Amino acid sequence: MKRIVWLLWALLLVLPAQGRAAGNMQNESFAKAKRLLEQEVYYDHRQTLYCGAFFDAHKQVELPQGFTTDKHQKRSARVEWEHVVPAENFGRAFSEWREGHALCVDRKGKTFRGRACAEKVNADYRRMQADMYNLYPAIGSVNAVRSNKNFQMLGPGVPSAFGSCPMKVSGNKVEPPERARGQIARSSLYMADIPSEPSATAAHAGLGAPISCGRLGVPSGKSHRTLAGQ
């Protein structure tokens, strides 16, 4: 498995620009993406990415036996949609996120930036945010604790942060359970292949600079292969 992932990673690096993924070029609505995933993708296999918890059509979660959490306990009852590559990680590629925009002014005349500004002004950002290849169901409290922490193998000395669900947290790093690593690796490679701030025309042509795995929050090289191949 490690060899296969390494070959895929090497292939990604040498692909010509014309072979790069254009990404989501149709849907700009994050809410619509979540609704489509709930109703048309996960309707017959409702199970969360990290902990393998089952959930129903009303997004109510059946917590696995032994699941515990000290934080965000109220969010444990419902499923939420997790960006495997956090919105902040790819959002920083957009000037609206970093610097704001003339249109990003609230009712009191105060300027703002970050996610709210990028979502308001930039259609390319909205499409990346709504890309269903980067969205997975997660227990709400797990999604909250993971936040925008980067993935990394933490080793046997770090205990699970969620009892029977082997999701480890240490500082600003998380180690996902083995069951989730293949999907995480595939989503990360997919997002790394998308131009960082494409116009519609450039994205269709596969042009533009791809976002590096480091900026996405997934370590490259040996540690990245280890994450995918464990």
Side-chain angles (χ1 to χ4, degrees):
M1 178 65 180
K2 291 182 180 180
R3 180 176 176 80
I4 293 173
V5 173
W6 169 238
L7 289 173
L8 289 172
W9 177 241
L11 179 62
L12 174 64
L13 294 177
V14 300
L15 279 173
Q18 288 78 5
R20 294 198 178 279
N24 167 33
M25 294 305 301
Q26 297 180 356
N27 177 34
E28 296 182 17
S29 170
F30 184 34
K32 180 180 178 181
K34 293 187 287 186
R35 185 171 64 252
L36 288 172
L37 286 165
E38 292 165 6
Q39 297 176 0
E40 299 185 22
V41 178
Y42 283 86
Y43 69 94
D44 61 349
H45 60 290
R46 297 189 178 104
Q47 195 170 14
T48 63
L49 173 65
Y50 301 122
C51 303
F54 293 99
F55 60 96
D56 62 22
H58 303 289
K59 298 188 287 187
Q60 297 297 310
V61 176
E62 179 183 340
L63 293 175
Q65 186 174 3
F67 177 93
T68 60
T69 180
D70 296 329
K71 299 178 180 179
H72 308 285
Q73 294 179 353
K74 292 183 179 180
R75 291 173 67 173
S76 294
R78 291 179 64 81
V79 74
E80 297 178 5
W81 292 93
E82 157 90 331
H83 285 98
V84 162
V85 175
E88 181 177 351
N89 289 27
F90 60 78
R92 287 192 297 262
F94 295 87
S95 60
E96 293 86 358
W97 187 296
R98 301 188 308 271
E99 304 162 13
H101 189 276
L103 295 176
C104 294
V105 182
D106 64 19
R107 294 180 180 179
K108 296 182 179 180
K110 185 177 180 180
T111 60
F112 60 91
R113 57 185 177 177
R115 183 172 186 167
C117 185
E119 187 171 356
K120 177 179 181 178
V121 175
N122 197 304
D124 290 326
Y125 171 80
R126 291 194 295 271
R127 284 189 285 267
M128 289 188 77
Q129 179 180 245
D131 197 317
M132 294 190 291
Y133 283 113
N134 189 42
L135 290 169
Y136 290 89
I139 295 171
S141 56
V142 178
N143 181 37
V145 171
R146 190 270 161 129
S147 183
N148 64 345
K149 296 178 178 66
N150 293 340
F151 292 119
Q152 182 172 304
M153 301 304 292
L154 298 175
V158 180
S160 166
F162 299 97
S164 61
C165 175
M167 182 84 159
K168 301 179 180 181
V169 181
S170 179
N172 64 348
K173 306 293 183 184
V174 295
E175 178 185 311
E178 184 175 352
R179 71 182 310 277
R181 294 173 195 166
Q183 290 164 292
I184 290 169
R186 287 189 288 273
S187 290
S188 300
L189 289 171
Y190 167 81
M191 293 296 287
D193 201 28
I194 297 174
S196 59
E197 195 168 357
S199 66
T201 303
H204 276 301
L207 303 176
I211 305 174
S212 69
C213 276
R215 288 174 66 188
L216 292 176
V218 179
S220 60
K222 182 178 180 180
S223 56
H224 176 79
R225 300 195 302 276
T226 301
L227 177 65
Q230 286 287 328

